[in-house]
Amino acid sequence: MNRLQKISEESLLALEQAKLDGRPAIGFYCLYSPVEIAVAAGAIPLPLCGTRNDPIEAAETILPRNLCPLIKSSFGYAVTDSCPFFRMSDMIIGDTTCDGKKKMFELLARYKPVEVLQLPQNQDTATVLPAWRAELGRFKNIVEQLTGVEITRERLVAAIDLLNRQRKAKKMIMDLGKQDPAPLQGSLMLEMMFRVGYLADKENTIALLQEIAEEAAKGSFRTESAQDRKRKRILLTGVPVGVGSEKVVKIVEQCGADVVAFENCSGYKQAFQIDLEKDPMDALAEQYLSTPCSVMSPNHGRFALLEEMISDFSVDGVIDLTWQACHTYNVEAFSVNAFIQERFGMSTLHLETDYAESDTEQIRVRVEAYLEML
């Protein structure tokens, strides 16, 4: 972790120098946005999703208090100018993934140029894929205008190949959770994946991810005894989590269980590969539209992914996490629980919370009771 911290600091300095040299940076908020288009134009893609509680108080001077903490945290970084990656972004890319984000992006445009991709709300390729493909074409034109670089087929294919390799390296680390006991603690894996997401040099990122996977497979990161084999194996589904919003993961570990699998945007939902044999813009449109987020109605992909992961990771239980005011995941929790009960005969634990620590002990009691039931 000390080495990763050093690499992160060096990457930030390199990013600042790249900005001084005139290289543009584009900030992305959601997994639906194809970063390959930015990479193909020579721009630096920067993840911006807010995962910390610190900037929320400042955001609440403008946004409603009963809004999703992820939205408030993201906006709070803009209000307080406390995120270097937001500051260095020449353009912000948003998506119409929820009503709260859509309206937040309107206010965010006071601080940075913002482009919002009009994401369809279902995945019926016959009816919505052409419109989504056209929207990505509009995005491609915007990036070309920003960078002054024509995004040729060759440049786009090279960018897709590069990010396919990065996602493959990330999947190598996430798949370590299939081992029993898992050689990498869930909270540590989450922190590593979160930090490497901010590294600007993708080739170095891939090499580092591969090294982490190799070291973890050797048992280098595991300090507990063989009693770990008795620890319950938990899959976390629902909203994305990151450094600063991982309290549920840590509570599970403190209660004697392991989060071995993450079925969310910060986890296995990004473990996909884009078809290099197809027209690159068509392939991007098809793959990104298939992302199994609860914004989609219906959301068959999430249930298929859950079924696959519950079996592959040999989990004992499933915790379904919802941020307060995230209505799509909150409503979908009923269907998720019903599906898992019917298919696997296990109940899920649905937790609704925010980034604050005030309900930590209440969550701990519920997690302990759930683990005892398992």
Side-chain angles (χ1 to χ4, degrees), residues 221-260:
F221 300 111
R222 202 62 168 162
T223 58
E224 288 85 356
S225 68
Q227 293 298 315
D228 284 348
R229 293 188 179 275
K230 298 179 180 179
R231 294 167 73 93
K232 297 297 183 183
R233 300 168 57 82
I234 301 298
L235 180 147
L236 183 69
T237 183
V239 293
V241 293
V243 173
S245 59
E246 74 277 57
K247 68 178 179 183
V248 170
V249 178
K250 291 184 175 180
I251 290 171
V252 170
E253 292 174 348
Q254 292 163 5
C255 291
D258 279 333
V259 178
V260 298

Side-chain angles (χ1 to χ4, degrees), residues 302 320 322 327-338 348 350:
R302 185 183 181 194
D320 188 0
T322 300
H327 302 310
T328 56
Y329 272 108
N330 216 351
V331 173
E332 200 167 271
F334 175 86
S335 300
V336 167
N337 182 62
T348 66
H350 180 223

Side-chain angles (χ1 to χ4, degrees), residues 211-326:
E211 184 179 350
I212 291 172
E214 291 169 3
E215 287 298 317
K218 297 175 185 176
S220 301
F221 300 111
R222 202 62 168 162
T223 58
E224 288 85 356
S225 68
Q227 293 298 315
D228 284 348
R229 293 188 179 275
K230 298 179 180 179
R231 294 167 73 93
K232 297 297 183 183
R233 300 168 57 82
I234 301 298
L235 180 147
L236 183 69
T237 183
V239 293
V241 293
V243 173
S245 59
E246 74 277 57
K247 68 178 179 183
V248 170
V249 178
K250 291 184 175 180
I251 290 171
V252 170
E253 292 174 348
Q254 292 163 5
C255 291
D258 279 333
V259 178
V260 298
F262 294 83
E263 185 282 317
N264 51 27
C265 295
S266 49
Y268 229 65
K269 281 181 183 175
Q270 57 180 298
F272 58 83
Q273 294 286 289
I274 294 173
D275 193 341
L276 287 167
E277 300 301 319
K278 295 183 178 179
D279 173 85
M281 288 298 292
D282 290 343
L284 287 172
E286 290 175 13
Q287 183 59 59
Y288 277 93
L289 181 64
S290 68
T291 302
C293 175
S294 65
V295 69
M296 294 296 173
S297 183
N299 186 22
H300 300 305
R302 185 183 181 194
F303 298 93
L305 183 57
L306 280 169
E307 183 171 16
E308 174 187 333
M309 292 183 69
I310 289 171
S311 297
D312 289 352
F313 286 84
S314 304
V315 304
D316 301 303
V318 176
I319 294 179
D320 188 0
L321 177 62
T322 300
W323 298 133
Q324 288 176 358
C326 185

